[in-house]
Amino acid sequence: YFTEYIENRVYSEDKAFMNEAIALDTIIEKLNNSDEYSSSYRIEENGELHFYEFKYMKLNTDTIIVGIMNIDKIVNDAKEKEKLIVLSETDRMTGLLNRVSGEQKVEENLKNGKGGLFILLDIDHFKSINDTLGHGIGDQVIIQVANCLKTAFRENDIVFRLGGDEFSAYAAEVHDKKIAKSIINRFIDNLKTIEISELGDSKITASIGAIILEQGEPADFADNYKLIDKGVYESKKVKGSHVTFM
């Protein structure tokens, strides 16, 4: 029965897995370690994929029962929950993490002694852009700067918008100043490629404060945030994009 079931109903990419998963040797091995053995797989019906789960249960030494259940609702509910979590953590304009989510993630890493590169930045003369060209152009600038930051850092780094024209980023694995500078310089180079016709020849620049924290020692988020905020202030004294390490 199961051979026919797998051949005719199970999704093609899951057939090999299912043949191995329900082989007698596999079932015996799994039930020797636990009273239950289950896994999920997919069925293709009328061109649509549906999620199912099989479950083997050992009632006693002589009796094993097996059941199959459609778990579409469970899977879809989990996906919906994941979407809601992502939405709650995301800055709608830029697609980066929002302030609450970003700060929580950085704080957790610092408390656990991961150290790493922690930066804060804001866009130079942003208020002037908003006042003279309007909020629509200001929004374009924010989105472009966010993209520049996103591509300068890696996917597993924490990049977030604090609000307005302020951004922050944290890379737990970066403990070398040379590497840190190369990441920040990549971001600064990315800024030079921004093209918004309404800006004319004006270029977008940013003032950046940065710190590299040693691995192994717990660090306080608030204290280090204040430090890199001072770094932003110092960078503003220099014309063009500039980073100050604290």
Side-chain angles (χ1 to χ4, degrees):
Y1 168 77
F2 276 118
T3 303
E4 187 179 332
Y5 177 80
I6 292 170
E7 183 60 34
N8 296 329
R9 300 200 65 199
V10 172
Y11 182 51
S12 57
E13 291 184 8
D14 293 349
K15 285 180 180 179
F17 157 75
M18 278 292 284
N19 278 317
E20 185 177 341
I22 65 168
L24 184 59
D25 288 348
T26 305
I27 296 166
I28 292 170
E29 181 187 346
K30 296 290 185 182
L31 291 179
N32 278 338
N33 298 321
S34 173
D35 288 338
E36 288 187 10
Y37 163 46
S38 64
S39 191
S40 59
Y41 60 98
R42 294 165 293 180
I43 279 181
E44 191 168 15
E45 291 177 338
N46 302 320
E48 292 184 351
L49 285 180
H50 298 276
F51 291 85
Y52 277 75
E53 180 185 70
F54 67 77
K55 181 176 286 188
Y56 287 87
M57 296 178 66
K58 182 168 63 178
L59 297 184
N60 51 53
T61 53
D62 300 318
T63 310
I64 296 170
I65 61 171
V66 60
I68 294 173
M69 179 176 71
N70 180 290
I71 57 169
D72 278 349
K73 187 176 186 309
I74 297 169
V75 171
N76 290 332
D77 286 351
K79 286 180 178 177
E80 191 61 34
K81 184 178 179 182
E82 189 175 326
K83 282 181 193 173
L84 290 171
I85 291 170
V86 169
L87 280 174
S88 71
E89 293 183 342
T90 302
D91 174 67
R92 300 297 174 86
M93 184 186 294
T94 62
L96 300 179
L97 291 172
N98 60 29
R99 181 174 198 142
V100 172
S101 176
E103 288 187 350
Q104 284 177 346
K105 291 176 189 293
V106 176
E107 187 170 16
E108 185 180 340
N109 276 277
L110 295 184
K111 273 184 180 176
N112 291 333
K114 290 191 176 179
L117 170 65
F118 186 20
I119 76 165
L120 178 66
L121 67 96
D122 66 27
I123 303 166
D124 296 329
H125 316 297
F126 182 73
K127 187 177 184 302
S128 174
I129 294 170
N130 254 348
D131 291 345
T132 57
L133 298 174
H135 291 281
I137 302 303
D139 288 352
Q140 284 187 50
V141 171
I142 286 171
I143 292 166
Q144 297 259 25
V145 170
N147 290 338
C148 291
L149 200 54
K150 201 185 301 182
T151 54
F153 282 81
R154 295 162 304 176
E155 194 175 338
N156 59 328
D157 295 329
I158 299 166
V159 182
F160 56 108
R161 183 184 175 206
L162 293 159
D165 64 321
E166 288 188 308
F167 298 85
S168 187
Y170 170 77
E173 295 171 9
V174 176
H175 299 94
D176 182 275
K177 193 169 184 178
K178 188 177 178 182
I179 295 171
K181 282 183 174 179
S182 72
I183 293 168
I184 294 168
N185 286 336
R186 186 159 64 230
F187 166 65
I188 290 171
D189 287 341
N190 289 347
L191 291 180
K192 295 172 185 174
T193 68
I194 293 176
E195 290 186 6
I196 299 172
S197 59
E198 289 84 355
L199 293 176
D201 295 331
S202 298
K203 291 295 180 185
I204 301 298
T205 60
S207 296
I208 308 161
I211 193 167
I212 298 172
L213 298 156
E214 288 187 19
Q215 190 175 17
E217 288 295 322
D220 184 78
F221 174 88
D223 288 347
N224 286 288
Y225 183 91
K226 287 174 187 173
L227 276 175
I228 55 177
D229 192 32
K230 287 179 183 175
V232 172
Y233 178 77
E234 291 300 317
S235 291
K236 285 205 170 290
K237 298 175 183 177
V238 181
K239 187 177 180 181
S241 293
H242 186 76
V243 57
T244 302
F245 278 87
M246 303 304 289

